[in-house]
Amino acid sequence: MKIALLGDIAPFGRYCLAEHPDLMDQFYSVREYLSHFDLVIGNLEAPFALNERPIGGKSATVKAHPANVGLLTALGITHVTLANNHIGDFGRSAYERTKTCLKEAGIEWFGTEGKQIAIERGGEKIALLGFCSYNTNPSAVPAGAGVGLNYLDAHAAEDAVRRNASKGFLSILAVHSGQEHVHMPSSDDVRFARGLADVANYVYYGHHPHVVQGHERVVGSAIFYSLGNFVFDDVYTPRDSNRPLITMSEANKTGAIGTVEIRKGQIVAMGVTPTYLGADQLLIGDAVPGFDMAAYDTHLATAGTPEYDQNRASVIRAFIERRRELRDFKWYLRRLNLNSIGIILKARKNARLYNEIFSSKLPLMEDKS
């Protein structure tokens, strides 16, 4: 069985089918490439919303027109994880519409409401699980929609992978975690991903940083820390309609398709195929200039050491400083409101929950492995 894993998908802006009917012309090469896989799994980052209002407590919310489910179908996407920090951005009705659109398109979803997917095909048994970390400042899936978003709990994820393995299923764990725009995964994420490899063979399928991070084989497992963006555009807010809150950098435009081949329940091959969001084409493979996966993989050699953590912190500080230089006093003045207070309070709450159900549990997880 051959499986393709896609990074962050948010079909809005110049990737909106409702506004650009000829959009599929940009995806010819990618469609051809993906047609050779048995399963194509993506991270659907934007809910299908219409006139719903965005929730509060967030600096940026994203949505996609329902017509864009046609883009997913045309690309041959078979499954999507909804375990990410934006799927609840426009409330319950947009979330429910998203599920309906996917069902009508024949695309299965997982990652919310406690849902995972068990697949038995051609003698192979695969389980799809999705979790969103509190470190991404997630929008909660609204009350009334089952048990809501599947939050990343280290022990719950470990138990699920172990349970699936006992039933002969190889888990593909979609994990939404990390620091945006940084090519180095956190030491927490590395410890967690490697620790799970001691529990059972599985696939770690990471996203959220919006840039590519390294990949590695650990024991019999395949780990992709972040596949970057697959389809994404500049992010605007109502306050900044003439200037993006987030402008796509060259690193944001460069992504990777993670690939794994499974035979008799074992991962026999893994790889990455680069993509690039060009001006009029989504480039793929050799058409992407200067892509060097080894440069991202090199970071992993020292992950978990004090030196690594210091270097990563330095990279994050430099990124924050560059962003501040682009924002003047008027930009900050426009954000002096109750929503800004909500953002601060929510961030503090999420930091506490992240420690309670994830980072504080990693030493115990390592002791058990």
Side-chain angles (χ1 to χ4, degrees), residues 29-321:
S29 296
V30 174
R31 290 173 68 182
E32 168 62 21
Y33 177 81
L34 293 177
S35 69
H36 299 288
F37 291 86
D38 301 294
L39 301 178
V40 180
I41 306 168
N43 170 48
L44 181 58
E45 187 89 4
F48 294 128
L50 290 172
N51 299 317
E52 291 88 356
R53 293 175 59 86
I55 65 165
K58 297 197 73 171
S59 59
T61 53
V62 297
K63 65 179 180 178
H65 191 281
N68 290 297
V69 73
L71 175 61
L72 308 186
T73 305
L75 290 170
I77 294 174
T78 58
H79 301 79
V80 293
T81 174
L82 302 183
N84 57 62
N85 62 321
H86 286 296
I87 201 63
D89 276 3
F90 285 80
R92 182 178 178 184
S93 64
Y95 169 71
E96 295 294 342
R97 181 187 299 108
T98 301
K99 294 193 299 180
T100 299
C101 289
L102 292 170
K103 181 178 180 180
E104 292 175 349
I107 299 171
E108 294 192 74
W109 58 272
F110 61 100
T112 59
E113 303 178 37
K115 184 178 178 181
Q116 73 168 18
I117 296 174
I119 301 170
E120 297 187 50
R121 186 181 303 177
E124 303 295 347
K125 300 171 72 173
I126 307 295
L128 306 181
L129 305 86
F131 296 96
C132 181
S133 174
Y134 277 109
N135 68 17
T136 67
N137 193 34
S139 299
V141 171
V147 295
L149 192 63
N150 294 0
Y151 293 103
L152 182 59
D153 180 311
H155 286 178
E158 177 188 357
D159 289 345
V161 170
R162 193 186 300 274
R163 185 167 55 250
N164 287 336
S166 71
K167 298 176 181 178
F169 283 85
L170 186 145
S171 294
I172 296 180
L173 198 71
V175 180
H176 204 69
S177 181
Q179 172 67 44
E180 292 178 321
H181 315 296
V182 174
H183 292 287
M184 303 169 71
S186 72
S187 288
D188 278 357
D189 283 342
V190 174
R191 291 165 67 196
F192 173 67
R194 291 174 177 173
L196 272 186
D198 290 327
V199 172
N201 293 342
Y202 82 110
V203 177
Y204 183 101
Y205 160 36
H207 29 78
H208 176 67
H210 298 291
V211 294
V212 176
Q213 294 178 346
H215 75 318
E216 60 183 351
R217 289 293 300 266
V218 178
V219 194
S221 297
I223 300 174
F224 304 90
Y225 287 102
S226 172
L227 295 172
N229 288 323
F230 182 68
V231 173
F232 226 91
D233 198 9
D234 296 344
V235 176
Y236 289 81
T237 71
R239 297 187 193 89
D240 302 282
S241 58
N242 297 320
R243 178 181 176 183
L245 175 70
I246 302 171
T247 302
M248 295 281 283
S249 67
E250 289 300 296
N252 296 145
K253 294 176 184 178
T254 303
I257 298 174
T259 63
V260 291
E261 184 173 356
I262 299 169
R263 295 180 196 161
K264 298 181 179 180
Q266 302 297 314
I267 301 168
V268 298
M270 71 176 294
V272 294
T273 300
T275 62
Y276 180 80
L277 292 162
D280 56 7
Q281 286 286 319
L282 178 56
L283 305 179
I284 185 168
D286 293 339
V288 179
F291 183 84
D292 183 9
M293 192 67 196
Y296 309 128
D297 293 341
T298 299
H299 294 305
L300 301 176
T302 58
T305 67
E307 179 186 8
Y308 178 89
D309 292 339
Q310 291 169 7
N311 289 339
R312 183 173 180 271
S314 177
V315 170
I316 293 172
R317 285 195 300 271
F319 171 78
I320 293 172
E321 286 302 317

